[in-house]
Amino acid sequence: MKFWLGASFVDTGQFVELARAAERCGFDTLTLSDHLFYTDFASPYPYSRSGRPRWDARTHWPDVWVTIGAMAAVTTTLRFSPNVYIAPARDLFTVAKQVSTAAVLSHERVTFGVGVGWCKEEFDGTGQDFHTRGRRLDAMLPVLRALWAGETVTVDDLPPLSISPTPAGPVPVYVGGDSEAALRRAARLGDGWIGNRIYTEEQLDPVLDTLRRHLDEHGRTGPFDIIAPLAVLPAAGTYRRFAAKGVTGTLAAPWWLATPEEKSQYGEGTLELKLATMERFAEEIIAKG
């Protein structure tokens, strides 16, 4: 089981130290989420009962690729992934150049976690069509792979083109979301799948069944990563049970389960609390496999 550090809602100034600590503690990948701005969203947030986001205007959403570049500069083995990057809210070439540059600077430690998004306001803000986002992402992914491989491609009415720099190896593409369309997209176009909610075992089982069905339909028999945030108390035995279901990794933010004593000692939301709980998680869970 791979352990990914879920670092959403973290203050921007904490990321560099979190990356150092995540590498030291044995986390495989550090993830951060993608939002362009805050407003009084009319779009319903799909992961809360109220339909309202769980954050406000003061919550930090640093640029994913700038932040990954800073964290890559102070680490050597830790991988990085957005969970997830809303690629169809941008144009193809912006996405291609950002990811390619981050992959080169990190020495191929970038995974492209990607999804279609839920927030129409962000698409309106960047001038991209919200209603065609799924179809456009399906078209983008093969072209992005070709550009990152250093190939020359033809896009729309443009002359043949390529980008530079490009990484030495492929950038893994993990598709996020648990809708039928997202799971089909992951099976057809992805190297893995990332869940974007916290799943109980009862919630995850039908998602895995649907994902396996689509993998079978597309003849996918090779390695395929399944990264699922799990609504379970951390325990090595519990994670091994999910591994038997085909889950290859999970997201954890150990400070969410800080003890009252830890909160009292270090303070809510502090970097010190995050580092202390990560160390404890490493000792109690990661070290035990």
Side-chain angles (χ1 to χ4, degrees):
M1 178 75 71
K2 300 174 184 175
F3 292 95
W4 288 28
L5 184 69
S8 299
F9 309 108
V10 167
D11 285 354
T12 305
Q14 297 181 354
F15 274 102
V16 168
E17 288 304 319
L18 280 184
R20 289 191 176 107
E23 183 167 87
R24 183 174 66 251
C25 289
F27 285 91
D28 179 86
T29 299
L30 187 152
T31 75
L32 61 166
S33 298
D34 172 41
H35 280 291
L36 289 168
F37 53 75
Y38 182 85
T39 187
D40 184 15
F41 296 112
S43 301
Y45 180 63
Y47 307 117
S48 70
R49 292 181 180 178
S50 68
R52 301 297 301 168
R54 296 192 295 264
W55 63 91
D56 59 28
R58 297 166 295 180
T59 305
H60 288 205
W61 298 102
D63 180 84
V64 167
W65 304 108
V66 172
T67 309
I68 286 175
M71 293 187 293
V74 299
T75 55
T76 57
T77 59
L78 183 68
R79 295 189 61 82
F80 304 98
S81 176
N83 184 31
V84 288
Y85 192 64
I86 310 306
R90 284 88 170 179
D91 67 273
L92 171 72
F93 300 110
T94 296
V95 177
K97 183 58 69 76
Q98 287 176 324
V99 178
S100 185
T101 302
V104 170
L105 290 174
S106 67
H107 301 288
E108 288 73 55
R109 289 187 284 136
V110 164
T111 295
F112 188 48
V114 65
V116 298
W118 58 270
C119 182
K120 183 176 183 296
E121 287 85 349
E122 291 184 322
F123 284 76
D124 292 342
T126 58
Q128 301 295 325
D129 186 357
F130 178 76
H131 300 289
T132 62
R133 65 197 190 283
R135 184 168 69 249
R136 289 188 294 107
L137 179 58
D138 288 350
M140 288 173 76
L141 288 176
V143 181
L144 288 170
R145 287 188 189 270
L147 288 169
W148 296 333
E151 297 177 15
T152 298
V153 303
T154 302
V155 180
D156 297 330
D157 296 326
L158 297 172
L161 56 88
S162 60
I163 65 170
S164 186
T166 56
V171 176
V173 174
Y174 289 16
V175 175
D178 55 19
S179 68
E180 184 82 18
L183 295 170
R184 185 185 310 114
R185 180 176 297 113
R188 183 165 60 90
L189 298 172
D191 302 300
W193 171 78
I194 308 176
N196 53 357
R197 67 180 80 218
I198 300 175
Y199 301 87
T200 64
E201 194 160 2
E202 292 73 21
Q203 291 169 331
L204 183 61
D205 282 345
V207 173
L208 296 180
D209 289 343
T210 302
L211 181 58
R212 290 189 193 98
R213 173 167 55 83
H214 286 303
L215 288 168
D216 289 343
E217 289 172 355
H218 289 92
R220 300 291 300 274
T221 58
F224 186 89
D225 271 343
I226 296 174
I227 311 299
L230 302 172
V232 297
L233 290 174
T238 302
Y239 289 129
R240 283 194 288 269
R241 188 175 78 250
F242 280 95
K245 294 173 177 282
V247 176
T248 58
T250 187
L251 269 77
W255 49 91
W256 294 350
L257 296 174
T259 66
E261 294 76 17
E262 288 170 327
K263 293 178 182 178
S264 175
Q265 180 178 356
Y266 299 108
E268 294 259 13
T270 63
L271 176 62
E272 290 75 17
L273 178 68
K274 293 180 176 67
L275 298 181
T277 53
M278 288 168 63
E279 294 282 358
R280 179 164 59 82
F281 188 91
E283 294 172 3
E284 296 177 357
I285 305 299
I286 297 178
K288 296 179 180 179

